[in-house]
Amino acid sequence: MMKNEHLPVAIIGGGPVGLATAAQLTYRNIPFVLFEAGSSVGQNLLSWGHVRVFSPWRYNMDKAAAVLLQEAGWVAPDKEGLPTGQELVDLYLNPLAALPQMATGIRLNSRVLSIGRKGLDKMKTKNREELPFSIKVAEAGTVRYVEARAVIDSSGTWNQPNPLGSGGVYAEGEEALSQHIFYGIPDVKGHSLDRYRNKHVVVVGSGHSAINTLLDLADLQQQYPHTRLTWVLRKENLSAVYGGQADDALEARGALGIHIEKLVRSGKLNIYTPYHILRLERGEDGKINVHGELKGEPSIIGGVDEMISNTGSRPDLEILREIRVDLDASLESVFDLAELIDPNVHSCGTVRPHGERALRHPEQDFYVVGSKSYGRAPTFLMATGYEQVRSVVAYLDGDQEAAERLELDLPETGVCSVGGGASGAGSACCGPAVAAVPAEEPVAACCH
């Protein structure tokens, strides 16, 4: 039985997993309030709206959300089509958020500043579980406090990119030269064309985001042959980046590995690996010189115009400072998930299904879900997030049987090892790459 039942469940973040949480709550007639910092639901997806994901539409919708939409007469997209980030928002998230039973609980342009128990800091224990949560929110130029019976944090990690520098810290000069660094997947063939054509562009990273970026830049290079491409990776073995290729359960995901290997073999791409960036400086010619170590020896990559960082992301933990959370010391993930997702141990993107029990924190009725639950681990799948919130919401509704039932089945990447370390090739998702197949009815699987 939930305490403070007259209060809503608060959801932080209006992305796919946050809206799936709202849909699951709506399906069970539990009131909610959802806080989205952006001016639209799916704001993070819009930042890579030009990117086409590699799982078809039939894998990209939460089950409860699809039921609510279909009851309202929504016509689903072609289930075998591959949507872009923009299409995911336009054709799925926006219609879902516009449903009357959903819209009344969604608050845009609402940034959560902190979460705590009403009147208590995290040190106080007496009557703690009896008190509602108090959420401090900046909205329309004012700050106010909202009370909730439970909190589900699905705010993601996409807006907290890792720095370029080695060791997880900013390289010397990185912040000063930030106007020449793009963190994410730029639309190099669209509105960012002038920024990159006929320039020397350095892409840093080894996941699907980096591959997407490099393949787009290679297309640009064909049209503008003075475009120079350099790829900087920290991995020891470049072949580990190629993934399952033809053996991948999702053809479009496997194709990324095939295409990037072809680009590497073409000789049109300068590659530095393993390379660790230490310092960026502007040369006398106005261009950037990248100082680092290549295979342990000093190395300089000179004459750089632009850099694109695809080095992953990390959770924003500041808003949780007054909440009792249990996080893994290395991954900053929910503690009980660490052994399932640690890239030092697993190269495989297929993670065992898990639900409410694995997501519990010492703070009762508080949960971190979605990519934020994975902390810094790069293998989050959207379908995993949907299964998380289905289980959590069932538990909050007192449906123990449904909460403990696991309904998710994921496809193999084609390459998977245990004990192989982070250099394994099976990392299923980094950036907006997608994948996943639930057991009973397909639901989504997009990263971040």
Side-chain angles (χ1 to χ4, degrees):
M1 180 76 65
M2 295 178 64
K3 302 176 181 65
N4 302 296
E5 288 191 355
H6 63 288
L7 297 174
V9 174
I11 305 165
I12 316 301
V17 176
L19 285 178
T21 307
Q24 292 284 345
L25 290 165
T26 299
Y27 193 74
R28 288 178 173 267
N29 295 312
I30 300 173
F32 72 89
V33 57
L34 183 152
F35 301 105
E36 165 56 43
S39 59
S40 165
V41 296
Q43 193 75 50
N44 288 344
L45 275 68
L46 293 175
S47 70
W48 48 267
H50 59 288
V51 178
R52 191 167 298 281
V53 302
F54 51 58
S55 63
W57 267 110
R58 61 193 179 96
Y59 299 150
N60 289 326
M61 292 174 288
D62 171 68
K63 182 177 181 180
V67 169
L68 293 175
L69 283 164
Q70 289 164 0
E71 289 177 347
W74 173 74
V75 178
D78 177 6
K79 65 179 182 179
E80 299 303 324
L82 299 177
T84 63
Q86 183 74 50
E87 289 168 343
L88 282 169
V89 175
D90 291 345
L91 303 180
Y92 169 54
L93 296 184
N94 278 341
L96 178 61
L99 294 175
Q101 63 269 49
M102 293 279 288
T104 55
I106 296 173
R107 300 187 181 183
L108 303 177
N109 300 303
S110 299
R111 181 175 298 278
V112 172
L113 304 177
S114 67
I115 308 167
R117 290 284 184 178
K118 185 177 181 180
L120 298 183
D121 62 34
K122 71 190 304 180
M123 296 175 58
K124 303 296 191 302
T125 299
K126 186 177 180 180
N127 297 326
R128 187 174 189 88
E129 294 177 359
E130 304 296 325
L131 293 170
F133 289 92
S134 179
I135 304 162
K136 185 178 181 181
V137 184
E139 191 175 68
T142 63
V143 174
R144 61 194 189 88
Y145 293 83
V146 178
E147 294 183 5
R149 65 172 87 170
V151 177
I152 301 174
D153 182 355
S154 63
S155 56
T157 63
W158 185 249
N159 286 326
Q160 293 78 234
N162 291 326
L164 289 171
S166 178
V169 298
Y170 283 105
E172 183 182 349
E174 180 176 348
E175 292 170 289
L177 292 169
S178 60
Q179 70 272 26
H180 296 288
I181 304 171
F182 188 95
Y183 297 88
I185 308 177
D187 187 4
V188 301
K189 295 189 289 184
H191 62 77
S192 296
L193 174 65
D194 289 342
R195 180 171 179 174
Y196 298 107
R197 63 179 176 182
N198 294 323
K199 303 287 181 63
H200 180 192
V201 184
V202 171
V203 177
V204 185
S206 59
H208 290 113
S209 295
I211 294 174
N212 269 307
T213 299
L214 286 162
L215 294 177
D216 279 351
L217 285 167
D219 290 342
L220 188 70
Q221 189 182 51
Q222 290 184 354
Q223 187 175 0
Y224 300 96
H226 293 295
T227 305
R228 293 174 56 199
L229 305 182
T230 296
W231 190 11
V232 171
L233 310 87
R234 298 169 187 164
K235 288 188 179 295
E236 296 283 344
N237 182 4
L238 185 60
S239 64
V241 179
Y242 301 149
Q245 299 190 334
D247 293 328
D248 198 305
L250 292 174
E251 182 180 354
R253 181 175 60 187
L256 284 178
I258 294 172
H259 292 320
I260 194 63
E261 182 176 14
K262 182 178 179 180
L263 177 60
V264 168
R265 295 182 182 279
S266 74
K268 297 179 180 180
L269 180 65
N270 298 314
I271 301 171
Y272 290 77
T273 188
Y275 194 95
H276 296 271
I277 296 174
L278 302 175
R279 178 163 54 95
L280 307 180
E281 67 175 13
R282 191 184 299 276
E284 294 181 359
D285 58 359
K287 296 182 182 294
I288 299 171
N289 295 321
V290 181
H291 296 254
E293 292 184 352
L294 176 62
K295 299 180 180 178
E297 298 295 327
S299 174
I300 299 176
I301 304 172
V304 176
D305 296 296
E306 295 285 342
M307 302 186 71
I308 299 172
S309 177
N310 295 138
T311 57
S313 54
R314 58 185 64 181
D316 177 8
L317 302 177
E318 184 61 30
I319 65 172
L320 309 183
R321 184 171 291 276
E322 296 305 322
I323 289 290
R324 295 178 175 181
V325 293
D326 193 8
L327 302 176
D328 180 74
S330 58
L331 300 184
E332 296 179 339
S333 69
V334 175
F335 185 83
D336 285 349
L337 296 187
E339 65 176 345
L340 304 179
I341 61 178
D342 189 346
N344 294 292
V345 179
H346 306 282
S347 73
C348 186
T350 302
V351 177
R352 289 202 308 272
H354 55 273
E356 182 276 336
R357 186 177 296 275
L359 297 167
R360 292 179 186 174
H361 288 279
E363 195 76 64
Q364 185 171 310
D365 295 335
F366 172 80
Y367 298 91
V368 178
V369 298
S371 60
K372 190 170 183 176
S373 71
Y374 275 39
R376 299 190 185 198
T379 51
F380 173 72
L381 305 172
M382 188 184 291
T384 301
Y386 289 173
E387 172 65 4
Q388 288 178 338
V389 300
R390 182 204 62 78
S391 176
V392 167
V393 171
Y395 180 82
L396 293 177
D397 195 31
D399 190 348
Q400 191 69 36
E401 187 277 330
E404 294 184 355
R405 185 174 65 242
L406 297 176
E407 300 182 357
L408 186 64
D409 182 30
L410 301 175
E412 297 294 338
T413 61
V415 176
C416 187
S417 64
V418 175
S423 62
S427 175
C429 182
C430 184
V434 291
V437 186
E440 296 182 357
E441 182 169 332
V443 295
C446 175
C447 294
H448 302 292

